[in-house]
Amino acid sequence: MIEIVSADKDRDVFERSWGRCLKSGLNKSITPNINIVQLENNFLVDAFKNIVEKLDGTIALTDSVLIITDKNGIVLDIKSFDKSAEVYYLVKTGMTLDELNAGTNAISMVLNTGTISIVKKGEHYIECFKDLSCIAAPIYDKDTNLLGVVDITTYKEINDVHKVLLLFLKKTIESDYYELSAKEILNGLDAIDIEILKLLAYGYTDSQISKRIHVSISNVKYHKNKLRKIFDAKSIRDCIYKATKIGVI
C-alpha cells in the first residue's frame, strides 16, 4: 500500500506546517515569487514533457493541471489541456512553491516529508490557493536523491483517477530521466575515457595507465577530470559507481 500524507490521517503534520507558516510571518494574502528558470539541458523537464505530450486526453478528463518543480520547489514547467489554465490556476513557471514562500501545499508537503501528499481545498495556508486541491509526489534518481516534484492540481476533489495518474507520472518521469541522463553520459564519453575508467576500476594507478595505453600522466589526469565532469561526480570512485549502474563498465 502506498503511503500518502493527508490532513484526514496526518493532522499533526499539517498543523506543524501551518504553525511554521504562522511563526515565519508568512502573509496569507501573498502570491509566491517568480524566478527565472533555466530549462536548457534539463532532463527532468524533458522527461516531464515526453510523457505529458502523450496525455492531453487524460488531462482533459481529469480537469487538472500538471506541474513539475525542481528539488527546491521552483516550477519548471506546466501542462494543461486548456492553455489558459496556467493563469486560471494561479501557478506560473518560475513560481516558488516551498513552504517558506508558498505556505502549506502539496509540493511543499512533499519537500518536507519526502512522501506523496494531498492538500485539499481550504487546507492551503495562503489564500490564493484555497479553492484548489492538489496531489504531489517526489521524483528521485536511482540513488534516491530528490530531483523534483510532480503535482496534479484541480478545482475539483482529488480522486482515484488523479492518484493513479500521479503514480504513473512519477514512475515514467523517473525512468525517462534515467535514460536521458545515461544517454547524455554515453554521448560524452570517448573510447579512451572508457578505457581509462575501466583501468581505474581495476585499481591501476595513473602511472600504470600511462604506460599501458601509451599516453602521458598529464593526459591521464586530463581524462580523469573529464570523467568527473561528465558523471557530475566528486571522485573517480563515484564515476566508477555511476558508470557501473548504466553499464559503461
Side-chain angles (χ1 to χ4, degrees), residues 96-109:
T96 305
L97 296 178
D98 64 353
E99 188 177 87
L100 180 64
N101 291 280
T104 307
N105 61 78
I107 291 168
S108 70
M109 275 291 181

Side-chain angles (χ1 to χ4, degrees), residues 26-92:
L26 185 64
N27 185 345
K28 289 188 175 184
S29 300
I30 66 163
T31 298
N33 294 329
I34 304 293
N35 303 273
I36 297 174
V37 294
Q38 175 58 261
L39 301 181
E40 192 173 337
N41 297 324
N42 190 309
F43 298 135
L44 185 60
V45 174
D46 291 342
F48 176 76
K49 287 182 175 180
N50 284 348
I51 185 58
V52 298
E53 284 176 359
K54 304 172 185 176
L55 293 176
D56 272 354
T58 303
I59 299 169
L61 289 173
T62 61
D63 192 24
S64 59
V65 170
L66 309 185
I67 301 167
I68 189 78
T69 80
D70 67 9
K71 62 183 179 181
N72 298 309
I74 297 176
V75 178
L76 299 176
D77 201 11
I78 301 168
K79 177 64 177 180
S80 63
F81 187 76
D82 180 353
K83 294 185 181 300
S84 67
E86 181 174 344
V87 176
Y88 193 58
Y89 279 75
L90 304 172
V91 178
K92 298 178 176 63

Side-chain angles (χ1 to χ4, degrees), residues 108-117 137-138 140 146 170:
S108 70
M109 275 291 181
V110 170
L111 294 177
N112 286 335
T113 67
T115 305
I116 295 173
S117 301
Y140 293 112
L146 182 67
K170 170 182 167 63

Side-chain angles (χ1 to χ4, degrees), residues 21 54 61 84 88 101 104 114-115 119 121 132 143 199 204 209 214 228 245:
C21 295
K54 304 172 185 176
L61 289 173
S84 67
Y88 193 58
N101 291 280
T104 307
T115 305
V119 178
K121 296 179 182 181
L132 303 177
D143 296 313
L199 292 172
Y204 283 69
I209 293 172
H214 309 295
R228 281 189 284 266
K245 293 196 74 171

Side-chain angles (χ1 to χ4, degrees), residues 122-133:
E123 295 173 354
H124 293 83
Y125 187 80
I126 61 176
E127 295 294 333
C128 68
F129 296 147
K130 64 182 178 63
D131 294 327
L132 303 177
S133 293

